[in-house]
Amino acid sequence: MNALHNGLILWLMAAALAACGGSDRSAPLAPGSGTSSNLGTQSQTLEASGQQPKPDRSPDIKGPDTDNNGIRDDIDAWIAAQPITDVQKKAAQQAARVMQLEILASTGNKAELDRLGNASMAAVKCLGDSFMPDYQKGLDLSAQIEAITANTKERVKKYISYNRARSGSTGRLPEGDTCEP
């Protein structure tokens, strides 16, 4: 899991820099597609067409959460727009809520970090279970939520700080139903 996290962090950094205009390189639309486009332009096109909610790119780490449900409004809208079941959306919201807490966490508070680590494992399991028998689809959705959550340079830095603070910690994938009621 640690190697997966490290690879995902590197991908997040590259994606965030591209979203922030930190890169003008073209990137493939999909692995092996052979087509390339500027990620910023591609994202803006999807936003303008309404296919993708406009992400919050404010310098504020937390971002807007007008309904105070613990999920940034742009992420909430993105989850709602996904062609998945209500159970899967609820699981995605649980994962988004935990990831939001992770980027806001105090990295000096070991008890909070341990609690978030456990909550993260529960959310990942819940999301994966909601897509059974195709557990991987849940993991893929979790990675997308992670990328959207850390979508600015400031948020990426906070998320990296959180992951550094958690580095070396261990945990177990919880058993049973880990979905929030």
Side-chain angles (χ1 to χ4, degrees):
M1 187 81 164
N2 206 3
L4 174 66
H5 242 353
N6 289 340
L8 203 48
I9 288 171
L10 290 174
W11 181 85
L12 278 170
M13 289 172 39
L17 288 173
C20 297
S23 172
D24 61 354
R25 294 182 184 174
S26 295
L29 292 174
S33 70
T35 307
S36 62
S37 172
N38 180 290
L39 288 176
T41 303
Q42 179 187 1
S43 183
Q44 289 172 353
T45 301
L46 290 171
E47 291 166 23
S49 72
Q51 292 177 309
Q52 173 180 312
K54 183 176 169 106
D56 174 68
R57 292 188 180 100
S58 66
D60 177 28
I61 301 297
K62 182 178 179 187
D65 179 14
T66 55
D67 61 2
N68 293 314
N69 68 349
I71 304 168
R72 223 172 55 218
D73 292 340
D74 59 322
I75 298 170
D76 234 353
W78 182 82
I79 291 169
Q82 297 306 299
I84 56 179
T85 69
D86 287 344
V87 168
Q88 292 165 336
K89 285 180 184 182
K90 190 173 178 182
Q93 290 168 333
Q94 179 178 342
R97 213 175 344 272
V98 171
M99 287 181 201
Q100 180 72 3
L101 290 170
E102 289 172 345
I103 67 167
L104 297 172
S106 168
T107 57
N109 185 335
K110 183 169 173 18
E112 180 181 5
L113 294 174
D114 288 344
R115 182 186 61 75
L116 284 173
N118 291 334
S120 179
M121 294 299 285
V124 167
K125 182 176 184 309
C126 173
L127 192 52
D129 287 352
S130 74
F131 280 90
M132 288 307 259
D134 195 352
Y135 193 85
Q136 186 61 47
K137 282 186 180 179
L139 296 179
D140 292 345
L141 185 59
S142 178
Q144 287 178 297
I145 293 168
E146 187 174 33
I148 295 168
T149 300
N151 69 335
T152 66
K153 188 185 295 187
E154 295 85 0
R155 291 175 182 145
V156 168
K157 286 179 181 179
K158 286 287 288 178
Y159 194 59
I160 289 171
S161 293
Y162 166 79
N163 279 292
R164 279 189 183 141
R166 291 282 304 151
S167 181
S169 62
T170 60
R172 288 176 44 141
L173 193 62
E175 296 181 16
D177 182 6
T178 61
C179 296
E180 295 174 345

